[in-house]
Amino acid sequence: MPVTARLLPRDAQAPQQQGALDLARRLPALIVAAKEIASSALHGVHGRRRAGIGETFWQFRPFVAGESASGVDWRRSARDDRIYVREREWESAHTVWLWIDRSPSMAYASSLALQPKLDRAVVLGLAAADLLVRGGERVGLSSLTRPIASRNVIERFAEALVHDRRTGDDELPPAGPLPPRVRIVMIGDFLSPPDEIAARIDDISARGARGHLLMIADPVEETFPFAGHTEFLDVDSTTLMRIGQAERFRDAYVRRLAAHRDAIAGIVRAKGWSLALHRTDRPASEALLALRMRLEQGSDLFAAGAR
């Protein structure tokens, strides 16, 4: 059976609006999928949320004799026979930024994939946000939201994606250094030239921020299973390349892809970042579980070194 590939439909005359509308139509299903895999990976995540100094409400607890009455919540106490203290959330959680690649190349999907790269990236990004919040972190969607610690983070991030009217053509996160203790999770296909990726990571980590790259790949992009006369369409333009006996290019393509990924692995390793590869013919839960394991590796959010 021949392998086929497709791009998600985009209106050539209005790519910005059409891209947002296409994503909006698919988001309800993606939200459901994100919640499902987040729930499956939630078991074993050890959160750090607890009462302490902060501005966010944490919980009510019974008043203990001998403590100061300044913390008593009289309105809540009036509804019961007991006196309750209003506790605030301890705020020393890390801030984690998420970036999801929505450039044209992410719209690619072959007949071997379970879903397009873009859909898989969105599902993993939303699910990761949910896990991070439940683990006590504050999470922001890069260039779209401020860091939050809300239990409805999936819905809020999905809404931010829908209302973003920019082109989505950026293949890398916005430039600019992040503070030292900030972390960033970058989800995309990272097909940009390695020197551009290196420059952006250098910029982001200039003040000591660290991060994790989750590389999304369609199985066809790895195996190049084409044969005979084949047409290749550039996702960033109208360029069309026709070649005969496509199988003759397979070995050279595989070597070049391996060299590209080795270069990226060396870049992230040099900065103490980490890298993981996820294929869209595999369950999304596998990538999220790997991220969950990193969440449990001590106080550092991510382990250094490429995976």
Side-chain angles (χ1 to χ4, degrees):
M1 178 179 176
V3 175
T4 60
R6 64 184 175 89
L7 295 173
L8 297 180
R10 297 182 68 179
D11 188 334
Q13 297 186 5
Q16 299 176 353
Q17 293 83 354
Q18 189 65 33
L21 287 173
D22 290 338
L23 182 59
R25 294 188 188 102
R26 301 194 306 277
L27 262 177
L30 300 183
I31 289 173
V32 172
K35 289 183 176 181
E36 288 179 350
I37 66 168
S39 296
S40 68
L42 183 61
H43 180 69
V45 174
H46 305 296
R48 296 198 301 274
R49 301 182 70 183
R50 62 175 183 267
I53 299 175
E55 299 179 356
T56 306
F57 169 72
W58 172 247
Q59 64 182 359
F60 292 114
R61 65 166 176 80
F63 176 79
V64 178
E67 66 179 310
S68 173
S70 61
V72 173
D73 189 290
W74 297 108
R75 178 173 295 183
R76 173 65 182 85
S77 301
R79 302 202 304 265
D80 206 336
D81 295 332
R82 306 179 69 178
I83 299 177
Y84 290 92
V85 172
R86 184 185 183 90
E87 290 188 328
R88 300 183 185 276
E89 181 183 346
W90 174 66
E91 294 185 351
S92 64
H94 290 109
T95 295
V96 183
W97 288 102
L98 288 174
W99 175 78
I100 300 173
D101 182 0
R102 291 177 288 148
S103 61
S105 65
M106 293 294 289
Y108 185 81
S110 74
S111 57
L112 301 180
L114 298 176
Q115 60 186 158
K117 293 190 294 182
L118 175 59
D119 290 20
R120 180 56 57 86
V122 170
V123 167
L124 288 172
L126 296 180
D130 187 66
L131 276 188
L132 287 163
V133 166
R134 291 177 183 272
E137 312 294 354
R138 295 186 177 278
V139 189
L141 201 55
S142 180
S143 75
L144 293 180
T145 74
R146 61 179 179 83
I148 60 176
S150 172
R151 286 299 179 93
N152 66 338
V153 65
I154 288 181
E155 288 82 1
R156 292 179 65 172
F157 280 9
E159 183 178 1
L161 289 171
V162 167
H163 288 92
D164 182 25
R165 291 295 184 262
R166 285 167 291 186
T167 61
D169 289 342
D170 295 333
E171 297 180 348
L172 294 171
L178 296 178
R181 291 186 61 79
V182 167
R183 302 294 188 263
I184 182 169
V185 178
M186 298 161 52
I187 306 175
D189 54 18
F190 301 103
L191 296 177
S192 302
D195 58 342
E196 293 182 10
I197 295 174
R200 190 56 52 87
I201 290 179
D202 285 344
D203 188 30
I204 292 173
S205 60
R207 294 172 58 188
R210 291 174 58 191
H212 175 71
L213 271 63
L214 180 54
M215 183 182 293
I216 308 295
D218 188 286
V220 162
E221 293 175 326
E222 290 204 305
T223 58
F224 198 84
F226 305 108
H229 180 80
T230 308
E231 294 183 346
F232 296 93
L233 176 66
D234 183 7
V235 297
D236 295 308
S237 69
T238 59
T239 302
L240 179 67
M241 181 176 70
R242 296 185 177 92
I243 60 175
Q245 296 183 310
E247 64 275 12
R248 295 174 55 189
F249 295 85
R250 184 175 300 128
D251 291 343
Y253 171 87
V254 171
R255 287 195 300 270
R256 184 168 181 177
L257 179 64
H260 177 80
R261 290 179 175 173
D262 287 344
I264 296 175
I267 291 166
V268 299
R269 188 183 301 113
K271 290 295 181 181
W273 289 31
S274 58
L275 171 69
L277 172 66
H278 174 67
R279 285 177 33 158
T280 54
D281 59 341
R282 303 296 304 169
S285 56
E286 290 185 358
L288 191 64
L289 286 170
L291 177 58
R292 191 207 76 176
M293 292 176 63
R294 295 180 186 278
L295 297 177
E296 296 177 344
Q297 292 176 353
S299 59
D300 252 351
L301 185 59
F302 300 115
R307 178 179 177 269

